[in-house]
């Protein structure tokens, strides 16, 4: 079905408010999920909101976000098992405040889950004129290079840069497949590409069911990519999260923020200049101009906002309407 | 020929002292190059020392290293066109000092060249109990994904982590080939792998001479890897270096350093635990245990040190002996 953006935003916020999140928190979760939807990553939008309700239905009530350690240039928080959309957003805002007095700051969050798209936080940082780096770890799901057993999460890593215009944001997962790739392939009876997954007993497989049934997937980018996934796992552990946390619990979130003005005051203007140079670079295919990370997201989001609505599977809207009515606000 | 480690170390230091580097600086350059040699990367050892002499023979005398901007948690320096081995080492040491009072610090260097192996600096940081990240940019040599024209340097990126034992250090180049791959292929009349390089006019090629003659190579890892190369380029520009500096000049060097004790005091012990878990992970090939980045370097270095000597092409030793005698000390 088509759903109006405003309606979807209100629906997600409404659902979240039934789980103990106040109006502001519910709006924060909703804003993140709708932004993800508008950027074309529908598996992280209303579909993810349904996952959140399932996770919250299964959980003890969450606790408050607490500060573990804090200095002028560092902040380690415990998310109290709250959804990462809330925890990482709070960390982002507190680090922006710290950048008023420190040109470099580091922040971590543990005991949280579902931190969403890192580009969401990096866009907030860039709007404040700040460069950011984010990485996170999660429960074992991905095999290191040369192994057939899971040790890493899907471990996204991302860099974001302010420019004079739109930010440049690089935001990737370090696994060769996403969880959504597996569930979608299984649903459609499709096979996975060769060489990207193992069964629980360590045989290579292209069967998504075998992977979902205790198997594992490879890291992206061979041994080089595996090293980056390991770095993200260690950065997440620096947040104090468990080495092998259960699924959707105690992810480790690591963020580093720098004020470019302390290093090179004209950086945003020069970054814009470099973006123009990228666009003017001779393409391999004449019809495919060279792109810069995040600009496709911005274009799609503008297009979706102008349309005022987006396409979504009926079952997700129905599940969310059910959740909104099921629990008392 | 075989050369004794002590003799090679003295020879490189001797050569460097003829170019205006004092005894301490010459020893720093020599230590870095010999360490690279002992870790098996011979193209970055005595062979690189020869490149340094060629670069220095062509250069105006270098200036002093100067501070551009400094705060409690940040430091931007100008390398005065000194070799990166000196400049990046000084930046590393000054950032370690800053970590006495700030849990997170950032540092950049511009107007330098040949910063060597980033793992060298990360090992120094790890020995001080610190986590580090380094990236750098350079003159255009590598094409962004979807382009056939160079915009990036070979742009290495690296993360280093302290543990209770040996550090874990991930240190890669973001190009699909190294410059040394081209010169070695050309020397042996070999072809490059398909799909990794373009001629000056933008045709795909496997001929190393065509690439060296104004062509370009691709980034590692497709569009994901290209985004990482772009991030490194922008981080280098944050040092204030030029957008497209000429070959072996004005590279941009970016480093951030974090004291894990401010976030998770037991991190080094837990990182060691994770390394043990990696080693105990079921391998794809029973005879190939899962490896952790940097441990192969450490093992090879120990073996080379025990042997007391290493193999090197005669012509490099001869060139260095010539350079040592050619200019007055």
């Amino acid at each position: 079905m088509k759903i109006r953006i405003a309606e979807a935003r209100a629906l997600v916020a409404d659902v979240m408010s039934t789980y103990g999140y106040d109006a502001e928190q519910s709006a924060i979760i909703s804003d993140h999920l709708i932004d993800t939807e508008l950027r074309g990553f529908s598996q992280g939008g209303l579909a993810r909101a349904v996952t959140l309700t399932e996770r919250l239905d299964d959980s003890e009530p969450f606790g408050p976000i607490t500060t573990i350690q804090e200095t002028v240039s560092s902040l380690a928080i415990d998310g109290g098992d709250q959804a990462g959309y809330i925890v990482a957003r709070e960390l982002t805002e507190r680090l922006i405040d710290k950048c008023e007095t420190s040109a470099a700051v580091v922040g971590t969050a543990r005991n949280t889950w579902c931190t969403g798209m890192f580009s969401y936080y990096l866009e907030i940082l860039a709007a404040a004129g700040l460069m950011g780096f984010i990485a996170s770890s999660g429960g074992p799901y991905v095999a290191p290079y040369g192994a057939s057993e899971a040790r890493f999460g899907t471990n996204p890593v991302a860099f974001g840069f302010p420019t004079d215009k739109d930010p440049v944001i690089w935001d990737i997962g370090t696994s060769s497949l996403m969880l959504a790739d597996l569930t979608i392939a299984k649903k459609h009876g499709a096979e996975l590409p060769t060489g990207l997954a193992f069964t629980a007993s360590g045989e290579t497989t292209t069967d998504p069911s075998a992977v979902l049934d205790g198997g594992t997937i490879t890291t992206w980018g061979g041994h080089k990519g595996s090293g980056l996934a390991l770095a993200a796992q260690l950065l997440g552990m620096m947040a104090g999260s468990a080495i092998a946390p259960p699924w959707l619990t105690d992810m480790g979130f690591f963020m580093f923020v720098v004020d470019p003005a302390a290093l090179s005051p004209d950086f945003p203007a020069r970054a814009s200049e470099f973006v123009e140079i990228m666009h003017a670079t001779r393409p391999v295919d004449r019809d495919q101009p060279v792109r810069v990370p995040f600009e496709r997201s911005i274009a799609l989001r503008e297009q979706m906002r102008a349309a005022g609505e987006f396409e979504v599977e009926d079952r997700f809207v129905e599940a969310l309407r059910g959740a909104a009515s099921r629990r008392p606000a």
Side-chain angles (χ1 to χ4, degrees), chain A:
Chain A
M1 69 165 71
K2 292 270 188 196
I3 189 167
R4 301 293 301 170
I5 295 171
E7 184 189 344
R9 188 181 293 278
L11 174 60
V12 173
D14 193 25
V15 170
M16 292 306 143
S17 68
T18 69
Y19 287 98
Y21 289 111
D22 68 25
E24 190 187 343
Q25 291 170 324
S26 299
I28 285 171
I29 298 174
S30 180
D31 187 64
H32 192 134
L33 295 175
I34 300 301
D35 187 68
T36 307
E37 194 77 63
L38 298 183
R39 289 173 50 203
F41 301 102
S42 55
Q43 74 280 4
L46 298 199
R48 183 61 52 88
V50 176
T51 307
L52 286 179
T53 64
E54 291 163 358
R55 165 64 165 79
L56 289 162
D57 284 335
D58 281 349
S59 308
E60 297 297 309
F62 52 76
I65 297 172
T66 53
T67 298
I68 303 168
Q69 279 196 81
E70 183 167 12
T71 71
V72 171
S73 61
S74 66
L75 175 61
I77 63 176
D78 183 309
D81 194 41
Q82 294 200 37
Y85 306 98
I86 302 291
V87 176
R89 173 83 176 245
E90 174 165 329
L91 185 68
T92 301
E93 285 169 2
R94 289 174 70 181
L95 291 186
I96 290 173
D97 288 346
K98 284 189 173 296
C99 279
E100 294 284 326
T101 48
S102 184
V105 300
V106 65
T108 54
R110 57 150 294 174
N111 196 16
T112 187
W113 49 279
C114 276
T115 42
M117 307 277 283
F118 290 173
S119 37
Y120 183 85
Y121 310 109
L122 293 169
E123 200 173 3
I124 294 171
L125 290 176
L130 302 170
M131 186 282 282
F133 166 79
I134 307 178
S136 81
S137 63
Y141 191 67
V142 176
Y145 184 77
S148 63
E149 210 177 354
R151 288 294 179 259
F152 305 146
T154 51
N155 293 9
V157 294
F159 278 101
F161 300 89
T163 78
D164 272 352
K165 297 173 187 159
D166 294 325
V168 175
I169 303 178
W170 175 76
D171 181 3
I172 67 152
T174 56
S175 57
S176 62
L177 296 167
M178 294 185 295
L179 180 57
D181 294 326
L182 298 176
T183 52
I184 290 167
K186 182 180 175 181
K187 188 178 154 199
H188 293 102
E191 298 215 324
L192 303 172
T194 309
L196 302 186
F198 299 95
T199 66
S201 59
E203 305 298 315
T204 57
T205 184
T206 58
D207 174 9
S209 301
V211 183
L212 289 166
D213 190 21
T216 180
I217 55 178
T218 59
T219 55
W220 159 72
H223 73 93
K224 279 187 177 182
S226 182
L228 183 57
L230 170 62
Q233 193 74 18
L234 291 171
L235 290 167
M237 282 170 52
M238 212 175 283
S241 71
I243 280 182
W247 183 243
L248 287 188
T249 66
D250 197 16
M251 290 177 170
F253 183 89
F254 175 96
M255 180 184 254
F256 193 94
V257 183
V258 169
D259 183 354
L263 301 166
S264 181
D266 61 351
F267 176 78
R270 295 174 73 235
S272 289
E273 190 185 344
F274 197 73
V275 167
E276 293 311 310
I277 290 170
M278 290 278 288
H279 288 155
T281 301
R282 182 180 59 205
V284 172
D285 174 348
R286 190 175 304 196
D287 299 326
Q288 297 276 349
V290 174
R291 289 204 310 225
V292 170
F294 204 61
E295 61 189 8
R296 203 183 59 113
S297 276
I298 290 172
L300 190 55
R301 184 167 65 190
E302 279 173 10
Q303 201 180 313
M304 297 266 252
R305 279 183 183 153
E309 60 183 15
F310 59 88
E311 186 67 40
V312 59
E313 288 186 50
D314 295 5
R315 64 190 173 109
F316 295 133
V317 176
E318 285 155 16
L320 292 174
R321 286 182 180 149
S325 63
R326 199 165 59 243
R327 291 177 67 146

